[in-house]
Amino acid sequence: MFAEAFGLRQVYIPLQAYFEQKVKSEAKEINVVDRKEQSVRQVVELEPTILEWLKRADKDDAIRVICGGPGCGKSSFGRMLAAHLAEDETVPVLFVPLHQLDPSGDLVTALGDFLRADLDNILPPNPLESGNAERQVLLVFDGLDELAMQGKVAAQAAQDFVREVQKKLLSFNRSDARVFALLSGRDLAIQATRSEFRRDGQILHVLPYFLTESEKESNEYIDEQNLLQQGQRQRWWQTYGQLKGKNYSGLPDELNRGKLVEVTAQPLLNYLVALSYDRNEIDFSDESNLNTIYNDLLEQVYQRDWAGYQHPTLGNISPKDFIRILEEVAIACWHGNGRTTTVNTIEKRCASGNLKRKLEIFEGGASAGVTQLLTAFYFRQSGVQGSEATFEFTHKSFGEYLTARRIVFELRLIQDELERHRDNPDVGWDEKECLKRWAMLCGPTAFDQYLLSFLKDDIKQQPLTEVGNWQQTLCDLISYVLKQGMPMEMLDPRPNFFTSTKQARNATEALFAALSSCAWRTERTSNIQWPSKTAFGTLLRTLQEQRAGAESLVVLSCLNHLELTETILYFQDLYGASLDGASLDRASLDRASLHDISWNKETTWKNAQGLSQAKNVPSALKKHLGLK
């Protein structure tokens, strides 16, 4: 565990989960009975529930899904379950990280390719091929959200893979329950496949170590075994204290307050808090966020593996350069499939960022330097791409944190170079050059809510004056894009039309993500120079793809604090949009969808037109505006 003297098994606390169970409620009014289908959350112990499912061996019920946010313990549970079953020899089990599997074709073929890629020859023959048939086998597919298919959105890739698994299970389980599948993934990926799982209990949502009273009250939990009262955080800290030789009777009081309550409720984040707490170098206040803890973690890695230590094959590297190279590693992963990358790709990223000479500090050249660096941080070798070894973050959120840092670094660089150019036109970067750099950084991959959260928290820690300057610069850059477009023609090599369009969309959405994060920090209005009253609506339609469900794209979460006075938004899809602090004075909202929007008292709606004709206006907003 992260260079500790103990492993996952010693510190693992069994997880709890819930599944949604449909119930019928009756509301009697005179002689009318209104029956509505509602859901309650049935709380269960996760491993016993899965073992009971396997024991039933129902050929018509051979698939289960485990979902939860980053760091909730999905992958750890899958590994612990596999180890348990392997030791008991109950059911043969194969654990498959999905980012190492090609999901685009036949499942049997893809599984065979995965097993043949095992360089250590420790994996068994393909259990789905004829001749290797087991009486029963459990396939654990970990990371449904990490499926990557060229030309397809992640949600569609996940849905296609689920259907392929279900099709194969029907084929293999015609007479007996022979093949079982356990899928795991983040909430957003599972939401896209929800319609494929109609039985109660097929989707199991991992619960955190701790739920606050308000969280329990906001959802109806059925907890017949009182599992939610068991204090998993306290047990974890007692176990951890024993392993580390520290006398922890439970979670320290200073960690049980403010935002740290939410952070320590998640297994991985709770562990990272413990690493930082042991160092005693963070002021754990109510305002502490995950970025603070990750930053401390980086310093810990540096001090442990680099500072004051001259490895015979390594040179000296400063903390600043150490983190900068890690940021480029994160960008290389982000531009790939979100988690893995190759040494060659990292070298190219560092060359483009003028960091190659830093890598070449290491004896043996850049490749040797990258390899040593990767093994010093929380990476592992994950497979082979072509003839190159691929490396992956041990947890995806490390990469998201470092990616957010790199974007903030670019914001600072753009601000500095733009100011230099404004002072002297012969130096620095103009708006076009700034946007070219931004498109290179943020164009290849679209933002998601997880990365947006890390970006917000990182900018929240930056000096207020500096963030205010970034906010104005981002407004200026968006204004430029509205008039001139994203300068994709400046990229070398120049992408084709399809790729240019896609990357321009991603880069523009990233501008709004950064602007939104800055506005949350300053709480000031963002004044973009809209060329016309329809410009914002037109841009929004360009950035929004066709919905595959209720989940909104990131750009709709980034409309806070915008100056939208007199904007025309007829028939606009604003479902789930964040309009906190925005100015919609005299805006035209006739037939716009305002379902589930977020707004606060700083949001102004003076003389907004068409609100009475807008669709799904929240009742609280109607009351606020005096609408019937």
Side-chain angles (χ1 to χ4, degrees), residues 204-223:
L204 293 157
H205 303 261
V206 177
L207 282 164
Y209 280 163
F210 174 77
L211 284 175
T212 64
E213 290 304 317
S214 62
E215 287 172 324
K216 293 177 189 175
E217 291 171 3
S218 61
N219 295 286
E220 187 177 350
Y221 288 96
I222 306 299
D223 184 16

Side-chain angles (χ1 to χ4, degrees), residues 569 571-572 588-595 609-618 621-622 627:
L569 294 168
F571 293 92
Q572 190 65 245
S588 301
L589 292 156
D590 188 54
R591 302 296 176 182
S593 174
L594 301 182
H595 184 74
Q609 301 169 20
L611 264 171
S612 59
Q613 299 299 316
K615 295 185 289 183
N616 299 309
V617 181
L621 179 57
K622 283 184 178 180
L627 297 175

Side-chain angles (χ1 to χ4, degrees), residues 19-59:
F19 63 87
E20 292 185 349
Q21 194 169 29
K22 293 182 176 61
V23 295
K24 286 185 177 179
S25 65
E26 293 187 0
K28 294 185 178 180
E29 193 175 297
I30 311 176
N31 294 322
V32 179
V33 178
D34 180 24
R35 292 179 179 270
K36 292 184 179 179
E37 208 171 53
Q38 297 178 334
S39 293
V40 296
R41 296 182 171 186
Q42 183 70 49
V43 180
V44 295
E45 294 179 284
L46 187 52
E47 184 168 321
T49 300
I50 295 297
L51 293 177
E52 176 61 29
W53 163 64
L54 290 171
K55 186 178 178 181
R56 284 200 306 271
D58 183 348
K59 67 183 180 65

Side-chain angles (χ1 to χ4, degrees), residues 2 95 150 198 204 252 289 337 345 366 403 447 513:
F2 299 91
F95 184 90
Q150 187 65 31
R198 303 183 184 278
L204 293 157
N289 64 35
N337 62 11
T345 304
T403 299
F447 251 71

Side-chain angles (χ1 to χ4, degrees), residues 66-138:
I66 296 172
C67 74
C72 73
K74 303 180 298 294
S75 297
S76 294
F77 169 75
R79 288 179 169 83
M80 291 297 293
L81 176 69
H84 180 162
L85 293 172
E87 287 172 352
D88 290 355
E89 299 183 350
T90 313
V91 178
V93 59
L94 182 62
F95 184 90
V96 183
L98 275 176
H99 64 275
Q100 296 182 25
L101 193 78
D102 178 9
S104 59
D106 179 75
L107 178 63
V108 177
T109 303
L111 200 58
D113 292 341
F114 166 74
L115 292 165
R116 281 189 289 275
D118 170 33
L119 300 179
D120 297 322
N121 295 315
I122 61 173
L123 295 178
N126 188 346
L128 300 186
E129 287 180 350
S130 58
N132 300 329
E134 299 277 1
R135 187 178 65 84
Q136 285 186 329
V137 64
L138 171 65

